[in-house]
């Protein structure tokens, strides 16, 4: 039974395979082959088109890059040229400013020298003058003139010889506004015809350490120029401390301080030097700091260089090295970019 079924099955399949299957398979294979050929041709055509487009785009990209790099190089060249011009202009400006600063420094020195000469001339013009401090305002109203009032004041209160003729040329209050009530009175300026007479009066006044007049202490001193008086006032604290410690001192003209220490005498030309050494010796005095003068301000504002003012060769070499380094680095970058793109 099994064999019969198998025979029957074979007899049914063979006619179909022989008559129908061969024709269908050939057509299918042919159609499939045609499709594959057309697809392959289409792919080959598309690939060639895409490759051409890619090559064209790469070529265009390289051309655009080359054009852009040429423009960048031109711009860099123009920039380097401008930088060179700017450096030259800056150098010229620096040299001109330095020359002006030197000129200003010389003018400041000349001004300081002229100021000292003017102060000296003013001091010499006041050599016959005295200043009287402490006379109450208005006391001279009862006298015929200020010269008569001063002559009587000095002769009555100083141990002057009766035969001494003062020969007072002029006398007046200091040229300032009248002080308010309760404020210290203005000093009286007295000019003598003879310097010897003035010196004699001043010597007697210093020996007597001034005098009392109507219950007020009156002192006599030189008529210093305003600048000299201002410099002498810088020793005020040092003189106060020396008086408290009982140390003798003198104030030579124009503005110096001579101190007679137990271990020796010392002369100071500035209050800064005096207070500094006094502080080192243990005296309770603060170190005087002088105000900043014109020369100090000029030195702070002026330029200073380690190699002097003339720096043209150094700047020229630096500019050439910078330009060379910049151009070489640009070339290296361009070559590296082209190698990466190729």
């Amino acid at each position: 039974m099994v064999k019969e079924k198998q025979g029957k099955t074979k007899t049914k399949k063979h006619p179909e395979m022989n008559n129908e299957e061969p024709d269908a398979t050939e057509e299918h294979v042919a159609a499939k082959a045609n499709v594959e050929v057309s697809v392959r041709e289409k792919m080959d055509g598309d690939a060639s088109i895409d490759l051409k487009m890619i090559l064209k785009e790469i070529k265009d990209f390289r051309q655009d890059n080359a054009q852009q790099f040429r423009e960048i190089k031109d711009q860099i060249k123009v920039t380097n040229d401008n930088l060179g011009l700017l450096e030259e202009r800056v150098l010229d400006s620096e040299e001109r400013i330095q020359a002006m600063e030197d000129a200003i420094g010389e003018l400041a020195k000349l001004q300081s020298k002229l100021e000292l000469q003017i102060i000296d001339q003013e001091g010499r013009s006041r050599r016959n003058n005295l200043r009287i401090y402490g006379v109450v305002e208005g006391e001279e109203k009862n006298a015929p003139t200020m010269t008569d009032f001063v002559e009587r004041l000095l002769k009555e209160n100083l141990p002057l010889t009766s035969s001494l003729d003062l020969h007072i040329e002029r006398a007046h209050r200091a040229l300032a506004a009248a002080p308010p009530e309760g404020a210290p009175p203005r000093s009286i300026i007295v000019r003598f015809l003879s310097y010897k007479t003035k010196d004699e009066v001043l010597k007697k006044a210093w020996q007597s350490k001034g005098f009392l007049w109507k219950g007020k202490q009156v002192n006599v001193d030189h008529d210093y120029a305003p600048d000299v008086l201002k410099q002498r006032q810088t020793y005020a604290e040092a003189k106060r401390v020396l008086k408290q410690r009982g140390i003798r001192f003198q104030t030579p003209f124009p503005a110096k301080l001579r101190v007679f220490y137990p271990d020796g005498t010392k002369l100071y030309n500035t209050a800064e030097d005096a207070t500094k050494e006094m502080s080192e010796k243990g005296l309770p005095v603060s170190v005087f700091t002088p105000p900043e003068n014109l020369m100090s301000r000029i030195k702070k504002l002026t330029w200073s260089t380690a190699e002097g003012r003339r720096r043209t060769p150094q700047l020229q070499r630096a500019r050439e090295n910078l330009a060379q380094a910049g151009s070489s680095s640009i070339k290296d970058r361009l070559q590296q970019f082209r190698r990466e793109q190729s």
Side-chain angles (χ1 to χ4, degrees):
M1 290 296 292
V2 175
K3 291 180 179 180
E4 290 178 358
K5 288 181 179 181
Q6 291 176 351
K8 291 180 180 180
T9 302
K10 290 179 180 179
T11 56
K12 288 181 181 180
K13 287 182 179 181
H14 284 296
E16 295 176 358
M17 292 293 294
N18 295 330
N19 297 330
E20 297 178 0
E21 287 292 337
D23 296 337
T25 302
E26 292 176 358
E27 293 177 358
H28 180 70
V29 170
K32 187 176 180 180
N34 293 332
V35 170
E36 291 178 353
V37 170
S38 61
V39 170
R40 190 178 295 108
E41 291 176 352
K42 185 175 181 181
M43 290 178 64
D44 294 340
D46 294 341
S48 61
I49 293 172
D50 292 340
L51 184 59
K52 290 179 180 179
M53 291 179 63
I54 291 172
L55 292 175
K56 184 176 181 301
E57 289 178 357
I58 291 174
K59 185 177 180 181
D60 295 340
F61 177 72
R62 293 186 65 180
Q63 291 178 354
D64 293 340
N65 284 340
Q67 180 63 28
Q68 292 177 3
F69 283 129
R70 282 194 295 270
E71 294 176 357
I72 291 172
K73 288 175 66 178
D74 294 339
Q75 293 177 0
I76 292 174
K77 185 177 181 302
V78 172
T79 303
N80 288 334
D81 295 338
N82 292 334
L83 285 175
L85 293 175
L86 290 175
E87 287 178 357
E88 291 294 337
R89 295 182 65 180
V90 168
L91 178 60
D92 294 339
S93 299
E94 287 180 353
E95 291 179 349
R96 293 180 62 185
I97 292 173
Q98 188 67 45
M100 292 175 63
E101 289 176 350
D102 293 342
I104 292 173
E106 294 297 327
L107 290 175
K109 292 179 182 178
L110 179 59
Q111 179 186 359
S112 178
K113 183 178 179 181
L114 293 175
E115 285 179 353
L116 293 176
Q117 291 181 356
I118 291 173
I119 293 172
D120 180 68
Q121 291 296 326
E122 187 176 3
R124 292 178 183 276
S125 67
R126 295 170 181 255
R127 294 183 69 178
N128 290 5
N129 294 359
L130 284 180
R131 278 189 184 254
I132 303 174
Y133 298 92
V135 179
V136 180
E137 291 274 347
E139 290 294 331
E140 64 275 11
K141 291 181 180 179
N142 298 326
T145 61
M146 178 64 81
T147 55
D148 294 334
F149 171 77
V150 171
E151 186 171 356
R152 182 169 58 86
L153 178 69
L154 295 176
K155 285 185 174 181
E156 291 178 356
N157 295 279
L158 292 178
L160 301 173
T161 58
S162 58
S163 60
L164 179 63
D165 191 355
L166 297 182
H167 293 292
I168 298 176
E169 182 180 2
R170 289 192 305 273
H172 59 83
R173 290 278 182 180
L175 301 178
E181 186 176 357
R186 293 174 294 174
S187 60
I188 297 176
I189 303 173
V190 184
R191 182 174 180 83
F192 296 85
L193 289 176
S194 172
Y195 171 77
K196 292 182 179 181
T197 305
K198 172 251 183 178
D199 196 42
E200 180 68 20
V201 173
L202 183 61
K203 182 179 178 180
K204 296 295 183 180
W206 282 354
Q207 289 176 352
S208 303
K209 296 183 179 180
F211 56 89
L212 286 175
W213 189 72
K214 293 186 178 182
K216 300 293 183 181
Q217 177 67 31
V218 177
N219 296 312
V220 182
D221 199 356
H222 290 288
D223 180 25
Y224 296 110
D227 291 331
V228 174
L229 189 61
K230 190 180 298 183
Q231 293 176 12
R232 294 176 69 87
Q233 288 174 351
T234 59
Y235 294 99
E237 185 179 0
K239 292 189 291 186
R240 177 180 57 81
V241 173
L242 292 173
K243 286 181 180 179
Q244 292 175 353
R245 295 301 178 95
I247 301 174
R248 193 165 67 90
F249 65 88
Q250 294 176 350
T251 53
F253 183 84
K256 298 180 182 181
L257 180 65
R258 182 182 288 111
V259 183
F260 299 92
Y261 293 110
D263 56 349
T265 304
K266 188 64 180 290
L267 179 65
Y268 303 103
N269 293 319
T270 63
E272 183 180 8
D273 296 338
T275 53
K276 184 177 179 180
E277 187 165 345
M278 289 172 62
S279 178
E280 293 174 354
K281 289 179 176 293
L283 297 175
V285 62
S286 58
V287 178
F288 177 77
T289 302
E292 190 177 29
N293 55 18
L294 179 60
M295 284 300 301
S296 299
R297 293 198 299 270
I298 291 175
K299 288 181 180 179
K300 285 184 177 180
L301 295 175
T302 52
W303 294 351
S304 60
T305 59
E307 299 179 0
R309 290 185 299 157
R310 303 295 297 179
R311 292 172 292 171
T312 305
Q314 290 82 354
L315 283 179
Q316 184 67 25
R317 286 196 296 270
R319 185 167 60 250
E320 292 175 357
N321 295 335
L322 180 63
Q324 184 177 0
S327 62
S328 61
S329 61
I330 293 171
K331 291 180 180 179
D332 295 339
R333 292 178 183 177
L334 288 173
Q335 293 177 358
Q336 182 180 359
F337 179 79
R338 289 174 180 175
R339 285 195 296 269
E340 291 176 356
Q341 296 297 326
S342 60

